Amino acid sequence: MPRVEIEYCVPCGMLERAQDVQAAILEEFGTEVESVALVTGDGGVFEVRADGEVVFDKESDEFDVDAIVESVGGHVGATA
């Protein structure tokens, strides 16, 4: 089961956005993911990682909750 991390910029006020992504992932995959952790950061960061692989980075991707959930889905059910 994949571990998902959502690293977000605290000073930028991105907590609510991170919580929205977290809730959407949990709603879609439930017990198919091991965890969906919020990781505090700064410097404008907003990254979503599944098993250490970046699946979303605000520097290069347009923010879309559904697209992020779909990207995480590529790791759900995958075997190592």
Side-chain angles (χ1 to χ4, degrees):
M1 285 190 286
R3 290 182 176 162
V4 180
E5 292 182 333
I6 303 164
E7 184 177 3
Y8 66 97
C9 180
V10 174
C12 298
M14 294 186 183
L15 174 59
E16 188 173 320
R17 180 177 279 198
Q19 290 172 322
D20 289 346
V21 172
Q22 181 186 43
I25 291 168
L26 288 170
E27 194 172 298
E28 180 71 24
F29 301 114
T31 58
E32 295 177 75
V33 292
E34 187 169 329
S35 62
V36 183
L38 298 180
V39 179
T40 58
D42 59 14
V45 68
F46 195 95
E47 278 188 3
V48 180
R49 294 180 292 274
D51 287 334
E53 181 183 328
V54 176
V55 297
F56 173 83
D57 182 345
K58 81 167 188 70
E59 294 298 318
S60 57
D61 301 310
E62 184 176 329
F63 184 79
D64 179 340
V65 175
D66 293 334
I68 294 170
V69 171
E70 186 176 317
S71 294
V72 169
H75 293 265
V76 175
T79 56

